[in-house]
Amino acid sequence: MRLSVAHRTRPKVGEVENGDGVLVRTEGPYTLLAVVDALGHGPAAAQAAGEALRCLGQVTLGASVASLAEALHVALKHGRGAAVMLAVFDGHTLHCGGVGNVELRTVGTRVPVLPTPGILGQSFRTLRTLSTPLAVGDRLALFSDGLSFRVDLEQVRTQSPDMACAFLLERFGRTTDDATVLVADVEPS
């Protein structure tokens, strides 16, 4: 199986720089999906989000999201920190975990990931992780708290990932914060 992925991100209304970020990266059999929400907004948050994305762009991918979170924690130690949702798909199984005010929702296979309280780069408890097999037709949505947690994926069930991202950002995005959404569909190889 493979993922068809789209994402959208935008800064807080009135800001130019975005403290949210998104990364999709494939290495061997692994595809990393990451949504980063640096604390606050504006230039300092954009810098922290950039550091997080650089780190995630360089680490070796594997099934361990805990090792990715630890690498991010170290990379963000001297900045303002960030919330992050990490998901690694190996072609069959989704391995995921998050820290802070970020979400992962699904249509299809239930993926009950519960983000760990805290802030990467500052303090967080042991990362709660989850691994679950996915099926063709499943849809994942990862998003920052710049979207209302009332996001309803049923409203975009038949839309392409790109159209779904555009609708979710428009319909559920908050103008008072940076906002990011990533939608991934599980498709046959």
Side-chain angles (χ1 to χ4, degrees), residues 48-93:
E51 290 171 11
L53 296 177
R54 275 188 294 284
C55 173
L56 290 173
Q58 296 172 353
V59 295
T60 300
L61 295 185
S64 173
V65 293
S67 65
L68 296 174
E70 187 55 40
L72 273 175
H73 185 59
V74 170
L76 297 174
K77 270 277 193 225
H78 302 290
R80 59 173 48 200
V84 66
M85 179 58 68
L86 301 166
V88 176
F89 184 61
D90 65 12
H92 301 289
T93 302

mmCIF file of all heavy atoms in Angstrom, residues 48-93:
data_model
loop_
_atom_site.group_PDB
_atom_site.id
_atom_site.type_symbol
_atom_site.label_atom_id
_atom_site.label_comp_id
_atom_site.label_asym_id
_atom_site.label_seq_id
_atom_site.Cartn_x
_atom_site.Cartn_y
_atom_site.Cartn_z
ATOM 1 N N ALA A 48 11.612 28.235 14.982
ATOM 2 C CA ALA A 48 11.529 26.957 15.703
ATOM 3 C C ALA A 48 10.938 25.862 14.807
ATOM 4 O O ALA A 48 11.431 24.736 14.790
ATOM 5 C CB ALA A 48 10.694 27.119 16.970
ATOM 6 N N ALA A 49 9.901 26.201 14.050
ATOM 7 C CA ALA A 49 9.305 25.219 13.140
ATOM 8 C C ALA A 49 10.322 24.809 12.077
ATOM 9 O O ALA A 49 10.425 23.615 11.740
ATOM 10 C CB ALA A 49 8.048 25.790 12.487
ATOM 11 N N GLY A 50 11.090 25.759 11.577
ATOM 12 C CA GLY A 50 12.131 25.455 10.589
ATOM 13 C C GLY A 50 13.182 24.517 11.142
ATOM 14 O O GLY A 50 13.625 23.584 10.455
ATOM 15 N N GLU A 51 13.591 24.732 12.397
ATOM 16 C CA GLU A 51 14.570 23.845 13.032
ATOM 17 C C GLU A 51 14.009 22.438 13.158
ATOM 18 O O GLU A 51 14.710 21.452 12.918
ATOM 19 C CB GLU A 51 14.959 24.397 14.405
ATOM 20 C CG GLU A 51 15.795 25.650 14.344
ATOM 21 C CD GLU A 51 15.980 26.313 15.704
ATOM 22 O OE1 GLU A 51 15.644 25.705 16.742
ATOM 23 O OE2 GLU A 51 16.452 27.461 15.727
ATOM 24 N N ALA A 52 12.744 22.336 13.529
ATOM 25 C CA ALA A 52 12.109 21.019 13.659
ATOM 26 C C ALA A 52 12.068 20.302 12.309
ATOM 27 O O ALA A 52 12.383 19.114 12.213
ATOM 28 C CB ALA A 52 10.707 21.168 14.233
ATOM 29 N N LEU A 53 11.689 21.014 11.258
ATOM 30 C CA LEU A 53 11.604 20.402 9.927
ATOM 31 C C LEU A 53 12.983 20.000 9.408
ATOM 32 O O LEU A 53 13.126 18.939 8.782
ATOM 33 C CB LEU A 53 10.900 21.338 8.956
ATOM 34 C CG LEU A 53 9.430 21.636 9.288
ATOM 35 C CD1 LEU A 53 8.856 22.630 8.293
ATOM 36 C CD2 LEU A 53 8.603 20.372 9.358
ATOM 37 N N ARG A 54 14.013 20.819 9.674
ATOM 38 C CA ARG A 54 15.378 20.448 9.277
ATOM 39 C C ARG A 54 15.800 19.159 9.974
ATOM 40 O O ARG A 54 16.378 18.264 9.356
ATOM 41 C CB ARG A 54 16.365 21.568 9.595
ATOM 42 C CG ARG A 54 16.441 22.627 8.510
ATOM 43 C CD ARG A 54 17.568 23.621 8.742
ATOM 44 N NE ARG A 54 17.393 24.450 9.934
ATOM 45 C CZ ARG A 54 16.554 25.470 10.022
ATOM 46 N NH1 ARG A 54 15.786 25.790 9.000
ATOM 47 N NH2 ARG A 54 16.473 26.176 11.130
ATOM 48 N N CYS A 55 15.522 19.065 11.260
ATOM 49 C CA CYS A 55 15.862 17.864 12.022
ATOM 50 C C CYS A 55 15.172 16.641 11.423
ATOM 51 O O CYS A 55 15.811 15.618 11.173
ATOM 52 C CB CYS A 55 15.467 18.044 13.490
ATOM 53 S SG CYS A 55 15.650 16.547 14.498
ATOM 54 N N LEU A 56 13.867 16.752 11.187
ATOM 55 C CA LEU A 56 13.110 15.619 10.648
ATOM 56 C C LEU A 56 13.539 15.269 9.224
ATOM 57 O O LEU A 56 13.390 14.123 8.794
ATOM 58 C CB LEU A 56 11.608 15.919 10.672
ATOM 59 C CG LEU A 56 10.977 15.950 12.058
ATOM 60 C CD1 LEU A 56 9.537 16.431 11.968
ATOM 61 C CD2 LEU A 56 11.060 14.579 12.724
ATOM 62 N N GLY A 57 14.084 16.220 8.515
ATOM 63 C CA GLY A 57 14.570 15.970 7.168
ATOM 64 C C GLY A 57 15.894 15.234 7.137
ATOM 65 O O GLY A 57 16.293 14.712 6.098
ATOM 66 N N GLN A 58 16.586 15.164 8.276
ATOM 67 C CA GLN A 58 17.921 14.564 8.326
ATOM 68 C C GLN A 58 17.993 13.250 9.082
ATOM 69 O O GLN A 58 18.913 12.470 8.851
ATOM 70 C CB GLN A 58 18.899 15.554 8.967
ATOM 71 C CG GLN A 58 19.082 16.812 8.160
ATOM 72 C CD GLN A 58 19.893 17.876 8.898
ATOM 73 O OE1 GLN A 58 20.219 17.732 10.066
ATOM 74 N NE2 GLN A 58 20.205 18.953 8.208
ATOM 75 N N VAL A 59 17.051 12.996 9.985
ATOM 76 C CA VAL A 59 17.134 11.769 10.788
ATOM 77 C C VAL A 59 16.815 10.547 9.928
ATOM 78 O O VAL A 59 16.070 10.633 8.956
ATOM 79 C CB VAL A 59 16.181 11.805 12.008
ATOM 80 C CG1 VAL A 59 16.585 12.889 12.981
ATOM 81 C CG2 VAL A 59 14.744 11.951 11.595
ATOM 82 N N THR A 60 17.380 9.423 10.320
ATOM 83 C CA THR A 60 17.106 8.166 9.631
ATOM 84 C C THR A 60 15.704 7.711 9.996
ATOM 85 O O THR A 60 15.331 7.709 11.172
ATOM 86 C CB THR A 60 18.135 7.097 10.052
ATOM 87 O OG1 THR A 60 19.441 7.573 9.705
ATOM 88 C CG2 THR A 60 17.862 5.776 9.347
ATOM 89 N N LEU A 61 14.926 7.360 8.972
ATOM 90 C CA LEU A 61 13.557 6.904 9.230
ATOM 91 C C LEU A 61 13.527 5.420 9.551
ATOM 92 O O LEU A 61 14.269 4.631 8.976
ATOM 93 C CB LEU A 61 12.655 7.183 8.027
ATOM 94 C CG LEU A 61 12.407 8.632 7.682
ATOM 95 C CD1 LEU A 61 11.397 8.732 6.533
ATOM 96 C CD2 LEU A 61 11.894 9.413 8.887
ATOM 97 N N GLY A 62 12.636 5.084 10.458
ATOM 98 C CA GLY A 62 12.353 3.709 10.837
ATOM 99 C C GLY A 62 10.979 3.707 11.476
ATOM 100 O O GLY A 62 10.274 4.715 11.463
ATOM 101 N N ALA A 63 10.602 2.595 12.043
ATOM 102 C CA ALA A 63 9.274 2.479 12.641
ATOM 103 C C ALA A 63 9.162 3.190 13.986
ATOM 104 O O ALA A 63 8.060 3.376 14.492
ATOM 105 C CB ALA A 63 8.903 1.009 12.801
ATOM 106 N N SER A 64 10.270 3.610 14.578
ATOM 107 C CA SER A 64 10.244 4.216 15.909
ATOM 108 C C SER A 64 9.951 5.718 15.857
ATOM 109 O O SER A 64 10.824 6.514 15.514
ATOM 110 C CB SER A 64 11.573 3.986 16.631
ATOM 111 O OG SER A 64 11.600 4.714 17.842
ATOM 112 N N VAL A 65 8.729 6.088 16.233
ATOM 113 C CA VAL A 65 8.428 7.515 16.327
ATOM 114 C C VAL A 65 9.028 8.094 17.607
ATOM 115 O O VAL A 65 9.289 9.293 17.674
ATOM 116 C CB VAL A 65 6.912 7.816 16.242
ATOM 117 C CG1 VAL A 65 6.387 7.482 14.864
ATOM 118 C CG2 VAL A 65 6.129 7.100 17.298
ATOM 119 N N ALA A 66 9.295 7.246 18.598
ATOM 120 C CA ALA A 66 9.919 7.720 19.838
ATOM 121 C C ALA A 66 11.311 8.271 19.549
ATOM 122 O O ALA A 66 11.699 9.307 20.106
ATOM 123 C CB ALA A 66 9.980 6.602 20.876
ATOM 124 N N SER A 67 12.071 7.623 18.664
ATOM 125 C CA SER A 67 13.414 8.122 18.340
ATOM 126 C C SER A 67 13.327 9.441 17.576
ATOM 127 O O SER A 67 14.170 10.323 17.755
ATOM 128 C CB SER A 67 14.218 7.081 17.566
ATOM 129 O OG SER A 67 13.636 6.829 16.315
ATOM 130 N N LEU A 68 12.309 9.598 16.733
ATOM 131 C CA LEU A 68 12.120 10.873 16.031
ATOM 132 C C LEU A 68 11.787 11.990 17.021
ATOM 133 O O LEU A 68 12.324 13.095 16.921
ATOM 134 C CB LEU A 68 10.997 10.755 15.001
ATOM 135 C CG LEU A 68 11.225 9.783 13.843
ATOM 136 C CD1 LEU A 68 9.964 9.680 12.986
ATOM 137 C CD2 LEU A 68 12.419 10.195 13.018
ATOM 138 N N ALA A 69 10.901 11.698 17.971
ATOM 139 C CA ALA A 69 10.529 12.700 18.981
ATOM 140 C C ALA A 69 11.736 13.084 19.829
ATOM 141 O O ALA A 69 11.916 14.265 20.158
ATOM 142 C CB ALA A 69 9.397 12.176 19.854
ATOM 143 N N GLU A 70 12.565 12.112 20.167
ATOM 144 C CA GLU A 70 13.754 12.410 20.977
ATOM 145 C C GLU A 70 14.729 13.288 20.205
ATOM 146 O O GLU A 70 15.291 14.240 20.752
ATOM 147 C CB GLU A 70 14.441 11.118 21.428
ATOM 148 C CG GLU A 70 15.576 11.339 22.393
ATOM 149 C CD GLU A 70 15.207 12.130 23.648
ATOM 150 O OE1 GLU A 70 14.119 11.929 24.212
ATOM 151 O OE2 GLU A 70 16.028 12.980 24.071
ATOM 152 N N ALA A 71 14.928 13.008 18.918
ATOM 153 C CA ALA A 71 15.803 13.839 18.094
ATOM 154 C C ALA A 71 15.264 15.270 18.021
ATOM 155 O O ALA A 71 16.027 16.238 18.117
ATOM 156 C CB ALA A 71 15.938 13.248 16.690
ATOM 157 N N LEU A 72 13.957 15.418 17.866
ATOM 158 C CA LEU A 72 13.340 16.751 17.846
ATOM 159 C C LEU A 72 13.513 17.462 19.181
ATOM 160 O O LEU A 72 13.787 18.663 19.213
ATOM 161 C CB LEU A 72 11.849 16.637 17.546
ATOM 162 C CG LEU A 72 11.443 16.608 16.093
ATOM 163 C CD1 LEU A 72 9.946 16.363 15.974
ATOM 164 C CD2 LEU A 72 11.819 17.893 15.397
ATOM 165 N N HIS A 73 13.332 16.729 20.263
ATOM 166 C CA HIS A 73 13.463 17.312 21.604
ATOM 167 C C HIS A 73 14.862 17.919 21.774
ATOM 168 O O HIS A 73 15.009 19.050 22.257
ATOM 169 C CB HIS A 73 13.191 16.241 22.657
ATOM 170 C CG HIS A 73 13.176 16.745 24.058
ATOM 171 N ND1 HIS A 73 12.296 17.725 24.494
ATOM 172 C CD2 HIS A 73 13.919 16.399 25.135
ATOM 173 C CE1 HIS A 73 12.511 17.955 25.785
ATOM 174 N NE2 HIS A 73 13.492 17.167 26.189
ATOM 175 N N VAL A 74 15.880 17.188 21.340
ATOM 176 C CA VAL A 74 17.256 17.674 21.438
ATOM 177 C C VAL A 74 17.460 18.879 20.512
ATOM 178 O O VAL A 74 18.053 19.887 20.903
ATOM 179 C CB VAL A 74 18.257 16.541 21.105
ATOM 180 C CG1 VAL A 74 19.671 17.071 20.964
ATOM 181 C CG2 VAL A 74 18.187 15.456 22.173
ATOM 182 N N ALA A 75 16.955 18.805 19.286
ATOM 183 C CA ALA A 75 17.137 19.890 18.314
ATOM 184 C C ALA A 75 16.469 21.188 18.753
ATOM 185 O O ALA A 75 16.926 22.272 18.403
ATOM 186 C CB ALA A 75 16.592 19.463 16.947
ATOM 187 N N LEU A 76 15.391 21.085 19.519
ATOM 188 C CA LEU A 76 14.631 22.274 19.929
ATOM 189 C C LEU A 76 14.964 22.747 21.346
ATOM 190 O O LEU A 76 14.334 23.671 21.847
ATOM 191 C CB LEU A 76 13.127 21.977 19.824
ATOM 192 C CG LEU A 76 12.615 21.670 18.417
ATOM 193 C CD1 LEU A 76 11.150 21.247 18.463
ATOM 194 C CD2 LEU A 76 12.817 22.867 17.507
ATOM 195 N N LYS A 77 15.955 22.149 21.989
ATOM 196 C CA LYS A 77 16.299 22.441 23.392
ATOM 197 C C LYS A 77 16.527 23.913 23.690
ATOM 198 O O LYS A 77 16.189 24.382 24.749
ATOM 199 C CB LYS A 77 17.555 21.674 23.804
ATOM 200 C CG LYS A 77 17.287 20.325 24.362
ATOM 201 C CD LYS A 77 16.931 20.405 25.814
ATOM 202 C CE LYS A 77 16.981 19.028 26.421
ATOM 203 N NZ LYS A 77 15.860 18.732 27.275
ATOM 204 N N HIS A 78 17.114 24.651 22.775
ATOM 205 C CA HIS A 78 17.493 26.031 23.090
ATOM 206 C C HIS A 78 16.561 27.058 22.462
ATOM 207 O O HIS A 78 16.877 28.247 22.420
ATOM 208 C CB HIS A 78 18.949 26.267 22.666
ATOM 209 C CG HIS A 78 19.890 25.321 23.335
ATOM 210 N ND1 HIS A 78 20.188 25.383 24.678
ATOM 211 C CD2 HIS A 78 20.562 24.251 22.845
ATOM 212 C CE1 HIS A 78 21.010 24.405 24.989
ATOM 213 N NE2 HIS A 78 21.263 23.704 23.900
ATOM 214 N N GLY A 79 15.398 26.614 22.019
ATOM 215 C CA GLY A 79 14.429 27.526 21.418
ATOM 216 C C GLY A 79 13.131 27.529 22.205
ATOM 217 O O GLY A 79 13.088 27.145 23.364
ATOM 218 N N ARG A 80 12.069 27.914 21.541
ATOM 219 C CA ARG A 80 10.787 28.012 22.226
ATOM 220 C C ARG A 80 10.030 26.706 22.298
ATOM 221 O O ARG A 80 9.075 26.587 23.031
ATOM 222 C CB ARG A 80 9.936 29.116 21.619
ATOM 223 C CG ARG A 80 9.620 28.961 20.167
ATOM 224 C CD ARG A 80 8.638 29.990 19.667
ATOM 225 N NE ARG A 80 8.956 31.328 20.063
ATOM 226 C CZ ARG A 80 8.093 32.327 20.083
ATOM 227 N NH1 ARG A 80 6.853 32.141 19.681
ATOM 228 N NH2 ARG A 80 8.440 33.519 20.456
ATOM 229 N N GLY A 81 10.418 25.705 21.513
ATOM 230 C CA GLY A 81 9.764 24.403 21.574
ATOM 231 C C GLY A 81 8.571 24.311 20.636
ATOM 232 O O GLY A 81 8.168 25.294 20.005
ATOM 233 N N ALA A 82 8.017 23.101 20.554
ATOM 234 C CA ALA A 82 6.923 22.862 19.616
ATOM 235 C C ALA A 82 6.090 21.658 20.018
ATOM 236 O O ALA A 82 6.564 20.761 20.713
ATOM 237 C CB ALA A 82 7.489 22.635 18.210
ATOM 238 N N ALA A 83 4.858 21.671 19.555
ATOM 239 C CA ALA A 83 4.002 20.490 19.581
ATOM 240 C C ALA A 83 4.205 19.792 18.241
ATOM 241 O O ALA A 83 4.516 20.440 17.235
ATOM 242 C CB ALA A 83 2.544 20.894 19.744
ATOM 243 N N VAL A 84 4.061 18.478 18.206
ATOM 244 C CA VAL A 84 4.270 17.756 16.950
ATOM 245 C C VAL A 84 3.464 16.465 16.921
ATOM 246 O O VAL A 84 3.286 15.816 17.949
ATOM 247 C CB VAL A 84 5.776 17.460 16.721
ATOM 248 C CG1 VAL A 84 6.311 16.491 17.760
ATOM 249 C CG2 VAL A 84 6.040 16.932 15.337
ATOM 250 N N MET A 85 2.942 16.143 15.745
ATOM 251 C CA MET A 85 2.327 14.840 15.505
ATOM 252 C C MET A 85 3.179 14.144 14.459
ATOM 253 O O MET A 85 3.453 14.706 13.399
ATOM 254 C CB MET A 85 0.887 14.977 14.996
ATOM 255 C CG MET A 85 0.203 13.644 14.711
ATOM 256 S SD MET A 85 0.094 12.501 16.123
ATOM 257 C CE MET A 85 -1.059 13.367 17.181
ATOM 258 N N LEU A 86 3.621 12.931 14.795
ATOM 259 C CA LEU A 86 4.471 12.143 13.916
ATOM 260 C C LEU A 86 3.770 10.848 13.553
ATOM 261 O O LEU A 86 3.225 10.164 14.433
ATOM 262 C CB LEU A 86 5.788 11.799 14.621
ATOM 263 C CG LEU A 86 6.642 12.974 15.086
ATOM 264 C CD1 LEU A 86 7.724 12.498 16.042
ATOM 265 C CD2 LEU A 86 7.246 13.679 13.891
ATOM 266 N N ALA A 87 3.794 10.498 12.279
ATOM 267 C CA ALA A 87 3.232 9.226 11.819
ATOM 268 C C ALA A 87 4.181 8.645 10.780
ATOM 269 O O ALA A 87 4.568 9.334 9.835
ATOM 270 C CB ALA A 87 1.843 9.434 11.228
ATOM 271 N N VAL A 88 4.559 7.399 10.966
ATOM 272 C CA VAL A 88 5.421 6.704 10.026
ATOM 273 C C VAL A 88 4.640 5.511 9.493
ATOM 274 O O VAL A 88 4.168 4.663 10.269
ATOM 275 C CB VAL A 88 6.739 6.236 10.694
ATOM 276 C CG1 VAL A 88 7.568 5.420 9.710
ATOM 277 C CG2 VAL A 88 7.537 7.428 11.212
ATOM 278 N N PHE A 89 4.506 5.444 8.168
ATOM 279 C CA PHE A 89 3.792 4.347 7.510
ATOM 280 C C PHE A 89 4.824 3.480 6.805
ATOM 281 O O PHE A 89 5.645 3.986 6.043
ATOM 282 C CB PHE A 89 2.786 4.913 6.504
ATOM 283 C CG PHE A 89 1.939 3.873 5.840
ATOM 284 C CD1 PHE A 89 1.103 3.050 6.572
ATOM 285 C CD2 PHE A 89 1.980 3.723 4.459
ATOM 286 C CE1 PHE A 89 0.313 2.091 5.957
ATOM 287 C CE2 PHE A 89 1.198 2.776 3.825
ATOM 288 C CZ PHE A 89 0.361 1.944 4.577
ATOM 289 N N ASP A 90 4.773 2.176 7.080
ATOM 290 C CA ASP A 90 5.759 1.262 6.491
ATOM 291 C C ASP A 90 5.200 0.441 5.324
ATOM 292 O O ASP A 90 5.805 -0.537 4.898
ATOM 293 C CB ASP A 90 6.344 0.337 7.557
ATOM 294 C CG ASP A 90 5.320 -0.615 8.166
ATOM 295 O OD1 ASP A 90 4.189 -0.744 7.634
ATOM 296 O OD2 ASP A 90 5.656 -1.247 9.190
ATOM 297 N N GLY A 91 4.044 0.846 4.817
ATOM 298 C CA GLY A 91 3.411 0.121 3.728
ATOM 299 C C GLY A 91 2.276 -0.764 4.192
ATOM 300 O O GLY A 91 1.432 -1.174 3.391
ATOM 301 N N HIS A 92 2.248 -1.034 5.489
ATOM 302 C CA HIS A 92 1.180 -1.843 6.081
ATOM 303 C C HIS A 92 0.691 -1.270 7.410
ATOM 304 O O HIS A 92 -0.494 -1.233 7.676
ATOM 305 C CB HIS A 92 1.655 -3.289 6.323
ATOM 306 C CG HIS A 92 2.108 -3.971 5.085
ATOM 307 N ND1 HIS A 92 1.254 -4.368 4.101
ATOM 308 C CD2 HIS A 92 3.350 -4.301 4.658
ATOM 309 C CE1 HIS A 92 1.923 -4.931 3.117
ATOM 310 N NE2 HIS A 92 3.210 -4.900 3.419
ATOM 311 N N THR A 93 1.633 -0.824 8.234
ATOM 312 C CA THR A 93 1.333 -0.407 9.592
ATOM 313 C C THR A 93 1.667 1.067 9.791
ATOM 314 O O THR A 93 2.691 1.547 9.294
ATOM 315 C CB THR A 93 2.137 -1.256 10.602
ATOM 316 O OG1 THR A 93 1.805 -2.637 10.390
ATOM 317 C CG2 THR A 93 1.819 -0.889 12.037
#
